[in-house]
Amino acid sequence: MFKKVWTLMALAALLLIVAAPAQAGKTWDQIQKSKELRAAMLTTGKPFGFHDDKNEWVGFDVDMAQEIAKRLGVKFVPVKADNNTRIEFLVTGKADLTLANMTHKRAREESIDFSITYFFDGQKILAPKGKFKELKDFVGKKIGTMQGTTSEVNLRNLLKGLGDKNPNVVSYQDEQACFSALEKGIIDAWSTDSTLLLGYAVQAPGKYELVGDFFADEPYGIGLPHDDSKWRNTVNALLQDMFKDGTYEKIYNKWFGPDSPYPMPLTRKIEMWP
Amino acid sequence: MIRHYLEKTWVQYLVLALLALSAVGYFVFVFHFGYGYRFDWTVLYKENPSYGEVLGHLLIDGLALTLAISLGSAALALFLGTVFGLARLSKFRPLSLTATVYVEFFRNTPLLVQLFFWYFALPMGLPEDLRRVLYDIRLDLWGLPVNFEFLTATVGLGIYTGAFMAEIIRAGIQSIPKGLLEAAFSSGLSFTQTLRKVVLPLAFRAIIPPLGSEFLNNMKNSSLAMVVGVPELCWSAQQIKALTFKGFEATTAATVIYLSLSLSMAALLNMVNLRLKILGEKERGFGHKMAHALFKPLEIFLETLAEVLRPSPRPVSLTLTPFQATMKRLGLAARKVLIKTGKALYLALLAYTLYLLAKGLASLDYGLIGENFASLLIWRFPHGDPSESLMGLGGLSLSIFMAVVAISVSFFIGLFVGMGRAAKNQIARIPSLLYIELVRGNPLIMIIFWIYFFLPIFGLDLDVFWSATLAMTVFTGAYIAEIVRAGIQNVSRGQFEAAASTGLSYLQTMRLIVLPQALKQMLPAIAGQFIAIFKDTSLAYIIGVFELTYVGKIIANRLMVHPFEIYTTVAVVYFVCCYLMSLGAGKLERRLASDTFRLNM
């Protein structure tokens, strides 16, 4: 018995030692070696990343990531993420980049890096049609949002600024829960990035509307592992190339063009370096 | 030589201490945490400059909510459990059938799916005004935010745990020998008197220990309240992680809190069990004395209360005056009528509920369910894309696959750890004990978070499916270890001694004598554990494994308009699988029946 125990202990110790040196190299080198691009994206963020009626995983972010992989000449490996995991994946090396309609925020810079802004969005509030006129009307109302997003922080700050001492904010785990809750009237309104709101609102045409102005800018950046400037430069250059040769616009129009369910004309140009 | 020393307790402790020390030293001095993770414990107690608050307060608020939900739901569960446990024994068939349906349905569907149902689906059946009132509830009970989310979580959890308690209470009452009841009735006690004076006092002794572990499970299950937006402890840890990306620190803090809650509850339960043991004054050990001392104040309080409340004895005369006799006859007649009307009313209510249910079911869009049913069963198998493990296998088949892998691997973990736990040698016993208590003291969600998010920090990288399966395995292993330990300890002492005296070694004794007997006894409990882990696969949804619940959510997300159809189908699929399995387990138990064990799940 004791011999067995010792063998087990030794095995366990060995496992720990063997497992330890599995350190990630620099992202760029690793991609060159593995010939794979692991891109983390959302599965419930319509129209950025979601499952269509053939159960295919599609969306603006998915197309963008696919294009980046194509241009790098490596295999595209999609990784499923959510609002709580999209940063964690970069920190723990489960993904090489994340396109998960993630706002470029200074607080996030402490843990990860961002590419240049590849999509401009802002936060709004979606509510049943005709019920609210302006942002002030939401004081004291029950408003839903997603846990782990900048929207949550912005919404609380907005309501506090409008004089709501104890904002009634409910944080769900994903977009779908928010929309369900809004549909059922459990919450009075749902606040997050306007494109996400529109993506859901078009499912029930004429029933919901965006109320008030943008109250926070939400510039989306591609999330990248911390302190890896070679990789960051590569991604930035790729984005600018895509914008220059029209690929970006093609993908953009596929999801937000005049024929799409949520038309939103492309008005801003991404940052270009000569 | 080594063997000789290893039998000394101090050597065993020394070895353990050395092992622990070298592990700590290894992690502090030699090991580099993967991906340069920087620890910063100050997030828990220092004011965060970006948000202007001490984020550790979130954990405290979360803990308050966890406690409130646990207590509220435990009280409700105890009430429902008693009512339905008694109702299951009723001779009035419609009542006992209702109770059976309640127990079977709620025990055999995952809590997660139930919570979704209570939160999103059920209120839709209520009138608009009432719904509005429910949704707008917002009270502040001593700083505790009470709203619709909180109430849903508390009531939903109470109903879930109640189903388990009903079974325990029914089993407890049925464990009373029939002879006692006959004796009670033949000595002229009425039904309520028999219940109050004979059945319940005896039944409670059998009921309290399993009831206690049900309270413990209830507390751990309260972590699921986060899916309906209640900021309880697990939610708070996630929140701190999302705000600061210091997931390791926040999750460690939450784990420690859960663990101390579980351990103190377990300690209290232990005390109760010791107190309940019937032992003579002289046979009592230190623990028993402690337990007696601990509960003395409560006993004195209850006795005084009973003394105060006891009605003064009425003069009893055995012959009734004509007036009294008439009154008594009238009373009996009235009671009969009351019971009859009660039964009729109950039947009417039942019929109405069934009608509502049938109407609801008839209004479902079955075309929609038909279209998506295949996806719910296998997702995209075998046409999955590269992001999906196992060729796009998902839905029900993935849930079953996960459960099968988890139970098969954890069986061996459980076997070894269980043996270690039952061993005398401290080198085997203490690590086993630590593993069991550490895992069982935490909700499964926390284990999943640890494996999924923090294994990479230690350099191991797994995809979502395998992380979730590993978490389930580690989790189930601890429970099976307890089953194994109980099985081993059920084998009588004499057999060990006989084996030792015939010259068998420890391992031989285990392999040839103890385990064959113990395993046969453990089979029903392990079957129960399998059903539990199958239901628990629904939690893998939280990290995005494509099991049944997640596929249901993805489909509901796409359809948007009719999520009710999908969630109902998901619940029914879970129920059918679990119910069939529990029927099988019941059959197995009866086939292996001897009088020393009972299926606990």
Side-chain angles (χ1 to χ4, degrees):
Chain A
M1 148 104 208
F2 305 123
K3 249 188 210 152
K4 275 275 158 81
V5 170
W6 279 114
T7 329
L8 274 179
M9 295 270 176
L11 259 176
L14 202 72
L15 252 178
L16 272 177
I17 293 163
V18 172
Q23 287 267 2
K26 285 286 178 187
T27 320
W28 170 246
D29 300 333
Q30 201 198 311
I31 293 172
Q32 290 307 313
K33 218 165 61 196
S34 66
K35 292 280 168 208
E36 277 183 354
L37 177 74
R38 295 168 303 154
M41 294 156 307
L42 299 187
T43 53
T44 55
K46 227 170 184 171
F48 291 92
F50 64 101
H51 285 268
D52 67 5
D53 46 7
K54 287 188 204 72
N55 292 335
E56 298 283 346
W57 192 8
V58 295
F60 178 77
D61 278 343
V62 179
D63 283 351
M64 287 292 283
Q66 225 151 9
E67 182 65 24
I68 291 172
K70 203 173 106 193
R71 283 173 188 244
L72 287 170
V74 296
K75 204 173 137 216
F76 173 60
V77 181
V79 177
K80 293 179 173 91
D82 62 38
N83 291 321
N84 282 328
T85 59
R86 54 191 178 180
I87 291 170
E88 206 97 26
F89 279 178
L90 293 171
V91 177
T92 56
K94 277 184 199 273
D96 303 317
L97 48 73
T98 61
L99 285 102
N101 49 291
M102 182 159 60
T103 309
H104 188 160
K105 240 197 151 216
R106 285 191 189 183
R108 288 182 174 153
E109 290 270 1
E110 274 181 33
S111 308
I112 58 170
D113 279 353
F114 283 92
S115 73
I116 53 173
T117 304
Y118 73 99
F119 193 91
F120 298 93
D121 205 344
Q123 190 173 352
K124 281 203 169 183
I125 299 184
L126 184 74
K129 206 159 197 161
K131 253 180 122 178
F132 303 96
K133 280 210 191 71
E134 49 182 351
L135 291 179
K136 257 209 175 98
D137 298 343
F138 290 106
V139 170
K141 296 290 175 209
K142 191 167 174 180
I143 306 180
T145 185
M146 290 91 68
Q147 187 184 24
T149 62
T150 47
S151 310
E152 192 185 22
V153 181
N154 296 337
L155 180 64
R156 272 179 208 280
N157 288 342
L158 171 84
L159 291 173
K160 273 184 187 158
L162 289 171
D164 197 342
K165 273 197 207 89
N166 187 12
N168 196 354
V169 173
V170 184
S171 304
Y172 299 97
Q173 296 297 307
D174 55 51
E175 289 82 355
Q176 209 243 312
C178 293
F179 188 69
S180 293
L182 179 68
E183 238 191 339
K184 312 247 142 56
I186 300 174
I187 48 177
D188 297 303
W190 167 26
S191 177
T192 184
D193 306 352
S194 64
T195 31
L196 285 176
L197 293 175
L198 280 175
Y200 278 82
V202 290
Q203 297 296 315
K207 276 177 85 178
Y208 302 101
E209 62 178 352
L210 293 172
V211 181
D213 286 329
F214 288 108
F215 59 88
D217 278 332
E218 306 276 355
Y220 291 173
I222 299 180
L224 302 165
H226 208 220
D227 288 340
D228 195 342
S229 62
K230 196 169 171 191
W231 175 226
R232 196 171 61 231
N233 289 339
T234 314
V235 173
N236 281 338
L238 275 178
L239 275 176
Q240 290 172 352
D241 289 349
M242 279 164 71
F243 199 83
K244 224 186 276 170
D245 65 18
T247 323
Y248 178 87
E249 202 178 343
K250 223 169 78 197
I251 297 176
Y252 186 94
N253 283 333
K254 180 175 164 195
W255 296 102
F256 306 103
D259 303 327
S260 69
Y262 1 86
M264 232 179 48
L266 179 60
T267 51
R268 291 176 75 168
K269 199 173 154 194
I270 69 170
E271 185 182 350
M272 294 296 261
W273 305 330
Chain B
M1 186 65 187
I2 289 179
R3 248 176 114 131
H4 170 72
Y5 275 113
L6 274 179
E7 271 166 33
K8 296 209 187 316
T9 325
W10 66 268
V11 179
Q12 295 169 3
Y13 284 125
L14 188 71
V15 169
L16 279 177
L18 282 178
L19 276 176
L21 265 180
S22 52
V24 169
Y26 176 73
F27 280 115
V28 172
F29 297 111
V30 185
F31 185 75
H32 290 283
F33 282 90
Y35 314 104
Y37 192 90
R38 281 160 299 180
F39 287 92
D40 181 13
W41 294 94
T42 58
V43 289
L44 295 177
Y45 52 86
K46 265 204 184 134
E47 187 177 296
N48 189 299
S50 319
Y51 305 103
E53 55 180 325
V54 182
L55 294 174
H57 286 165
L58 281 176
L59 288 175
I60 311 267
D61 296 344
L63 174 64
L65 271 172
T66 293
L67 285 177
I69 294 176
S70 308
L71 287 177
S73 58
L76 179 67
L78 193 58
F79 172 73
L80 287 176
T82 317
V83 169
F84 283 101
L86 289 174
R88 273 199 94 175
L89 298 170
S90 163
K91 277 203 214 88
F92 181 49
R93 287 295 282 169
L95 187 63
S96 63
L97 267 178
T98 323
T100 309
V101 169
Y102 164 75
V103 168
E104 294 300 345
F105 186 77
F106 287 102
R107 280 195 335 158
N108 286 316
T109 36
L111 175 59
L112 192 68
V113 178
Q114 288 179 28
L115 283 178
F116 281 140
F117 179 82
W118 294 128
Y119 189 70
F120 288 119
L122 186 84
M124 300 316 284
L126 299 175
E128 170 78 35
D129 293 336
L130 182 61
R131 211 187 311 158
R132 232 0 323 134
V133 172
L134 268 181
Y135 292 162
D136 287 342
I137 294 174
R138 200 178 183 215
L139 302 169
D140 196 356
L141 291 182
W142 304 288
L144 202 72
V146 172
N147 52 13
F148 177 59
E149 285 70 33
F150 172 84
L151 291 175
T152 311
T154 310
V155 173
L157 189 57
I159 291 176
Y160 178 76
T161 311
F164 287 85
M165 291 194 172
E167 257 315 83
I168 292 171
I169 289 171
R170 179 195 62 81
I173 291 175
Q174 278 187 331
S175 70
I176 308 282
K178 208 169 158 214
L180 269 179
L181 289 187
E182 285 166 356
F185 284 132
S186 62
S187 63
L189 294 182
S190 72
F191 174 73
T192 28
Q193 280 174 322
T194 314
L195 203 62
R196 218 181 57 209
K197 308 233 162 184
V198 180
V199 176
L200 287 182
L202 281 172
F204 261 103
R205 207 173 277 280
I207 288 170
I208 284 177
L211 215 53
S213 54
E214 222 35 76
F215 282 126
L216 202 62
N217 285 340
N218 186 61
M219 188 275 287
K220 286 186 280 175
N221 283 334
S222 72
S223 55
L224 286 188
M226 72 185 243
V227 298
V228 290
V230 180
E232 44 70 62
L233 187 51
C234 197
W235 186 97
S236 306
Q238 288 284 93
Q239 183 75 351
I240 296 181
K241 187 177 88 180
L243 292 177
T244 62
F245 317 113
K246 293 293 169 211
F248 194 92
E249 293 82 343
T251 314
T252 306
T255 305
V256 169
I257 297 177
Y258 271 120
L259 202 60
S260 23
L261 269 183
S262 304
L263 287 182
S264 30
M265 271 179 85
L268 189 68
L269 289 174
N270 246 339
M271 283 292 168
V272 173
N273 288 348
L274 286 179
R275 173 64 189 84
L276 284 179
K277 247 189 202 146
I278 304 175
L279 284 173
E281 198 76 59
K282 274 188 198 139
E283 297 159 27
R284 287 181 194 163
F286 179 68
H288 298 105
K289 279 183 190 140
M290 282 265 292
H292 274 269
L294 187 70
F295 291 108
K296 199 80 205 169
L298 187 69
E299 281 161 36
I300 292 174
F301 172 72
L302 287 179
E303 272 162 26
T304 341
L305 197 69
E307 206 58 51
V308 172
L309 291 180
R310 184 169 297 158
S312 50
R314 277 172 304 184
V316 188
S317 117
L318 288 176
T319 43
L320 299 172
T321 61
F323 175 69
Q324 277 175 327
T326 331
M327 282 313 280
K328 186 162 184 186
R329 243 192 323 252
L330 276 178
L332 281 177
R335 222 181 100 177
K336 253 185 198 157
V337 174
L338 259 178
I339 289 178
K340 281 260 157 66
T341 16
K343 281 183 179 175
L345 270 178
Y346 181 77
L347 277 179
L349 192 73
L350 196 64
Y352 183 63
T353 318
L354 284 177
Y355 163 73
L356 280 186
L357 194 68
K359 210 174 86 176
L361 284 178
S363 70
L364 291 185
D365 184 347
Y366 284 97
L368 200 75
I369 296 177
E371 270 165 42
N372 293 296
F373 198 63
S375 295
L376 285 176
L377 294 187
I378 55 170
W379 184 231
R380 287 165 61 176
F381 186 77
H383 308 293
D385 66 40
S387 72
E388 294 167 337
S389 38
L390 306 167
M391 297 166 74
L393 190 73
L396 176 67
S397 38
L398 191 71
S399 297
I400 294 179
F401 182 66
M402 266 174 100
V404 169
V405 172
I407 202 88
S408 330
V409 180
S410 62
F411 175 75
F412 292 99
I413 299 181
L415 204 59
F416 278 103
V417 177
M419 271 165 62
R421 176 70 182 77
K424 261 204 300 237
N425 192 304
Q426 304 295 337
I427 300 178
R429 202 180 75 91
I430 289 180
S432 309
L433 186 76
L434 279 178
Y435 166 67
I436 292 174
E437 294 303 328
L438 212 60
V439 170
R440 295 203 329 154
N442 270 293
L444 177 55
I445 297 194
M446 296 303 281
I447 313 271
I448 293 180
F449 284 154
W450 274 110
I451 302 257
Y452 186 50
F453 294 128
F454 306 119
L455 227 49
I457 297 182
F458 295 99
L460 263 173
D461 213 347
L462 294 170
D463 72 355
V464 273
F465 170 74
W466 289 110
S467 314
T469 311
L470 180 62
M472 305 268 167
T473 309
V474 169
F475 185 73
T476 316
Y479 284 82
I480 293 195
E482 273 301 281
I483 297 175
V484 170
R485 180 187 68 100
I488 292 176
Q489 288 178 345
N490 262 353
V491 176
S492 69
R493 210 55 247 139
Q495 300 208 25
F496 284 91
E497 285 156 10
S501 62
T502 50
L504 293 182
S505 74
Y506 176 82
L507 278 184
Q508 280 173 322
T509 315
M510 279 291 166
R511 209 181 65 224
L512 299 173
I513 302 201
V514 178
L515 285 181
Q517 300 178 57
L519 278 180
K520 190 184 150 204
Q521 291 196 5
M522 281 149 32
L523 265 181
I526 289 178
Q529 198 58 47
F530 180 73
I531 299 173
I533 200 67
F534 171 69
K535 276 191 299 171
D536 282 342
T537 55
S538 63
L539 289 194
Y541 129 92
I542 288 178
I543 57 169
V545 178
F546 270 65
E547 46 67 56
L548 187 50
T549 311
Y550 194 76
V551 169
K553 203 183 72 149
I554 290 276
I555 293 175
N557 181 37
R558 165 162 45 76
L559 300 172
M560 284 184 187
V561 244
H562 298 291
F564 195 40
E565 270 83 356
I566 300 301
Y567 282 128
T568 313
T569 316
V570 167
V572 169
V573 169
Y574 272 117
F575 172 73
V576 168
C577 293
C578 291
Y579 188 60
L580 289 180
M581 284 193 271
S582 65
L583 285 186
K587 225 177 188 170
L588 185 72
E589 185 185 6
R590 275 191 297 281
R591 253 186 59 192
L592 298 172
S594 73
D595 40 31
T596 44
F597 67 91
R598 199 171 59 230
L599 175 65
N600 281 319
M601 58 162 278

